[in-house]
């Protein structure tokens, strides 16, 4: 007698789906950051706020999630995310400001690492000088951008979460320190983009030269046809074809290098925009704090005058 398997019954190795009820506030549905993300997708604010408290245990990935919530949401979840960020930023500020002297010397040594990277990678790039120059510029840009990521992420967190009431002296000092730390790497990024543009201009010049010489040999071939000089005709036609082929190859390279330069330039502009936004908000907060202090002094002065002249 043939016994059919019952496919509706779970096997020992099957993953069994749970019910449709939301998970408990303190529960873990999936492991690690995936579990936190799952709980953050809940429609219940209390569950999401509870999950937020675990998010920062997962480094930069968790920090990015909290920053996104601060930037894109409203209501109690956003307020909880911003409070969490400010607490984290305050602790980072204390650690970073205490280690500022030591870290500044280490940063100088770290910035020199791009030169070592280029020495190791120089054998892997193309033999063409302009292509090697472009590849080196891209490598420098990628390396320094990765080095800047921690500071940029903290700047983004400051922009997303800090308002005047929470703009403590520690956060202000951290903000200014982060902007100071990224100035030298940012200068190197601009130099890398400038080097890439120089490589692009070099290949543009080579392409223009090849195209110009091809046109000149074409003119010589036409003149040779008029004189019926077969040797000159053959020579002109061959040289014209060589220059046209070279120009076509250079045009392919030029189009490719142009895309690479545009990509570098676009990334640099996006980075500079983030830094400018951070600078702008910092200055606005500092101005608001200044006017708030001035207003407090004015209010205090008026209260003193009232107590002197109008007290019974």
């Amino acid at each position: 007698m043939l016994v059919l398997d019952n496919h509706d019954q779970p096997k020992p190795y099957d993953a069994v789906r749970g019910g449709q009820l939301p998970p408990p506030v303190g529960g873990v549905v999936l492991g690690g950051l995936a579990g936190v993300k799952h709980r953050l997708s809940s429609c219940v604010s209390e569950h999401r706020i509870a999950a937020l408290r675990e998010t920062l245990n997962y480094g930069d990935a968790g920090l990015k999630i909290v920053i996104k919530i601060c930037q894109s949401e409203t209501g109690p979840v956003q307020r909880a995310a911003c409070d969490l960020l400010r607490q984290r930023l305050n602790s980072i500020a204390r650690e970073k400001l205490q280690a500022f002297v030591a870290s500044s010397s280490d940063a100088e040594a770290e910035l020199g690492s791009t030169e070592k990277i280029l020495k190791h990678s120089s054998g892997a790039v193309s033999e063409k000088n302009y292509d090697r120059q472009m590849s080196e510029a891209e490598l420098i840009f990628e390396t320094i951008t990765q080095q800047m990521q921690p500071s940029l992420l903290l700047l983004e967190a400051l922009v997303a979460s800090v308002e005047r009431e929470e703009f403590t002296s520690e956060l202000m000092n951290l903000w200014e320190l982060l902007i100071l730390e990224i100035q030298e790497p940012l200068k190197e990024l601009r130099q890398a983009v400038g080097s890439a543009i120089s490589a692009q201009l070099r290949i543009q010049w080579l392409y223009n030269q090849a195209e110009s010489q091809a046109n000149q040999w074409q003119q010589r071939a036409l003149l040779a046809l008029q004189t019926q000089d077969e040797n000159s005709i053959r020579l002109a036609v061959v040289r014209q074809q060589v220059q046209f082929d070279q120009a076509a190859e250079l045009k392919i390279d030029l189009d490719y290098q142009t895309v690479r330069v545009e990509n570098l330039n676009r990334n640099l502009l996006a980075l500079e925009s983030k830094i400018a936004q951070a600078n702008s908000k910092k200055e606005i907060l500092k101005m608001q704090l200044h006017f708030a202090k001035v207003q407090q002094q004015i209010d205090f002065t008026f209260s003193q005058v009232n107590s002197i002249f109008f007290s019974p």
Side-chain angles (χ1 to χ4, degrees), residues 196-211:
I197 293 173
S198 174
Q200 180 194 23
L201 292 176
R202 171 64 179 168
I203 190 175
Q204 178 73 63
W205 182 83
L206 291 172
Y207 168 70
N208 291 341
Q209 288 291 104
E211 196 173 48

Side-chain angles (χ1 to χ4, degrees), residues 241-261:
Q241 189 60 48
V242 168
Q243 291 299 324
F244 271 136
D245 291 343
Q246 185 178 354
E249 181 180 349
L250 286 168
K251 183 64 169 66
I252 294 172
D253 285 349
L254 177 59
D255 291 342
Y256 176 51
Q257 307 297 0
T258 299
V259 171
R260 295 167 77 181
V261 168

Side-chain angles (χ1 to χ4, degrees), residues 53 57 74 82 107 111 139 151 153 160 173 206 248 250-251 261-262 267 272 286 301 312:
R53 299 192 185 102
N57 295 331
T74 58
C82 290
L111 286 175
L139 179 59
S151 295
L153 195 56
N173 291 334
L206 291 172
L250 286 168
K251 183 64 169 66
V261 168
E262 289 175 351
N267 290 337
E272 289 179 329
K286 287 173 69 174
T301 302

Side-chain angles (χ1 to χ4, degrees), residues 102-118 139-149 151 178-192:
S103 64
S104 61
S105 60
D106 293 340
E108 292 178 2
E110 189 176 0
L111 286 175
S113 64
T114 52
E115 185 176 349
K116 297 178 183 177
I117 293 172
L118 291 180
L139 179 59
I140 290 174
F141 195 98
E142 181 181 359
T143 302
I144 296 179
T145 301
Q146 289 176 354
Q147 293 173 357
M148 294 172 68
Q149 280 307 309
S151 295
L178 291 172
I179 291 176
L180 178 65
E181 283 183 348
I182 63 180
Q183 291 309 306
E184 188 62 30
L186 184 61
K187 180 181 176 181
E188 288 201 31
L189 289 182
R190 289 169 178 151
Q191 290 173 345

Side-chain angles (χ1 to χ4, degrees), residues 44-64:
V44 181
S45 296
E46 289 79 5
H47 299 161
R48 301 186 67 204
I49 292 172
L52 271 174
R53 299 192 185 102
E54 300 176 23
T55 306
L56 293 182
N57 295 331
Y58 298 94
D60 289 351
L63 185 57
K64 289 177 182 177

Side-chain angles (χ1 to χ4, degrees), residues 211-225 236-237 239-241 243-244:
E211 196 173 48
S212 174
Q213 290 180 18
N215 291 332
Q216 289 177 15
W217 282 109
Q218 185 178 34
Q219 293 299 321
R220 291 186 186 183
L222 293 175
L223 291 174
L225 281 173
V237 169
R239 294 299 297 272
Q240 174 194 354
Q241 189 60 48
Q243 291 299 324
F244 271 136

